[in-house]
Amino acid sequence: GENVEQHPSTLSVQEGDSAVIKCTYSDSASNYFPWYKQELGKGPQLIIDIRSNVGEKKDQRIAVTLNKTAKHFSLHITETQPEDSAVYFCAASNSPGFQKLVFGTGTRLLVSP
Amino acid sequence: DVKVTQSSRYLVKRTGEKVFLECVQDMDHENMFWYRQDPGLGLRLIYFSYDVKMKEKGDIPEGYSVSREKKERFSLILESASTNQTSMYLCASNKQGSGLREQFFGPGTRLTVL
């Protein structure tokens, strides 16, 4: 089955810096890669996703890149703000309709003012 | 506003007790999921359901069962709770169809088994 590895487990940056979180997956059949953000006391919330026929996707300060050959995908956050502090999870899916997700182990991002 | 609610935020149970965790969604979603979240392990799928009375095992179903009698409600059952089931439990739901895949999560239930 699919296995998703995520690094780093914790990341501390200064406000305004960029943050990069990296994930690798094992199943070449995976074709959907979402990123979820979990704030303290809340459930995870989708922030961006990418399908395997796309190499990069941007939404304001966040972007996701996908390298299918290397089975890598990354989350990039530019101009970080304190409200970006949260736990971020990557995930991968190879199931029909992308219903089943396999999650990474999470990255705790701390943005200091 | 989409909403997934879970019956309890915090729950403390004794070893051997039968435990019910309830999840309700108001978005008319076909799919519902139960995950457990542990530090360093991320979210792991326990069970999911794609229709009323239908269920499929996830990656870690041992020690758990589920019930889906109504479309909006999905219950996770610990038949005989054990200390290694102390964890955060998250319920999620989404709509079927390849273009509608975002999973909406509830706030979680932190279960402690003593």
Side-chain angles (χ1 to χ4, degrees):
Chain A
E2 175 66 278
N3 182 53
V4 178
E5 294 190 359
Q6 183 173 347
H7 299 280
S9 57
T10 59
L11 181 58
S12 293
V13 300
Q14 292 292 122
E15 183 176 0
D17 288 350
S18 294
V20 180
I21 303 170
K22 298 182 178 181
C23 290
T24 60
Y25 61 99
S26 61
D27 188 346
S28 57
S30 288
N31 51 12
Y32 172 62
F33 307 93
W35 286 88
Y36 282 78
K37 175 183 180 183
Q38 185 178 29
E39 298 176 342
L40 199 61
K42 297 183 179 180
Q45 186 171 9
L46 180 71
I47 54 172
I48 194 167
D49 58 10
I50 192 168
R51 294 182 67 168
S52 60
N53 57 352
V54 175
E56 183 176 2
K57 184 176 178 180
K58 287 184 179 180
D59 183 4
Q60 298 182 353
R61 295 187 298 108
I62 60 174
V64 57
T65 58
L66 172 65
N67 182 330
K68 282 182 61 179
T69 303
K71 297 182 196 167
H72 289 171
F73 58 114
S74 300
L75 178 72
H76 304 253
I77 306 174
T78 58
E79 301 172 25
T80 54
Q81 301 168 3
E83 51 265 36
D84 294 328
S85 296
V87 179
Y88 292 81
F89 292 97
C90 62
S93 176
N94 62 6
S95 61
F98 316 113
Q99 306 302 348
K100 283 186 65 176
L101 298 176
V102 176
F103 283 87
T105 50
T107 296
R108 183 174 298 278
L109 174 64
L110 177 61
V111 181
S112 303
Chain B
D1 197 19
V2 297
K3 204 148 190 182
V4 178
T5 56
Q6 296 184 228
S7 51
S8 306
R9 294 300 301 269
Y10 299 93
L11 210 51
V12 179
K13 295 293 182 181
R14 297 280 180 190
T15 301
E17 280 192 79
K18 190 169 186 176
V19 181
F20 293 87
L21 302 183
E22 305 284 341
C23 175
V24 178
Q25 51 93 4
D26 65 359
M27 297 164 281
D28 200 36
H29 285 169
E30 292 83 7
N31 301 320
M32 296 188 74
F33 308 83
W34 275 106
Y35 295 90
R36 65 177 280 175
Q37 180 178 6
D38 299 289
L41 297 177
L43 280 69
R44 293 178 292 167
L45 182 64
I46 304 171
Y47 268 97
F48 72 102
S49 168
Y50 51 90
D51 201 352
V52 174
K53 297 192 186 295
M54 305 304 290
K55 62 185 179 185
E56 280 200 28
K57 293 180 179 179
D59 299 317
I60 52 165
E62 297 79 18
Y64 303 94
S65 62
V66 291
S67 173
R68 190 152 180 216
E69 296 296 320
K70 292 185 178 182
K71 188 176 185 180
E72 67 271 17
R73 189 178 297 268
F74 192 34
S75 302
L76 180 69
I77 304 157
L78 288 65
E79 293 289 342
S80 178
S82 64
T83 54
N84 62 12
Q85 292 178 310
T86 292
S87 186
M88 171 69 83
Y89 290 88
L90 291 163
C91 175
S93 71
N94 71 357
K95 198 119 180 85
Q96 281 184 2
S98 60
L100 297 164
R101 57 187 78 88
E102 177 179 358
Q103 291 190 16
F104 294 89
F105 283 83
T109 295
R110 185 165 294 282
L111 173 67
T112 301
V113 183
L114 302 176

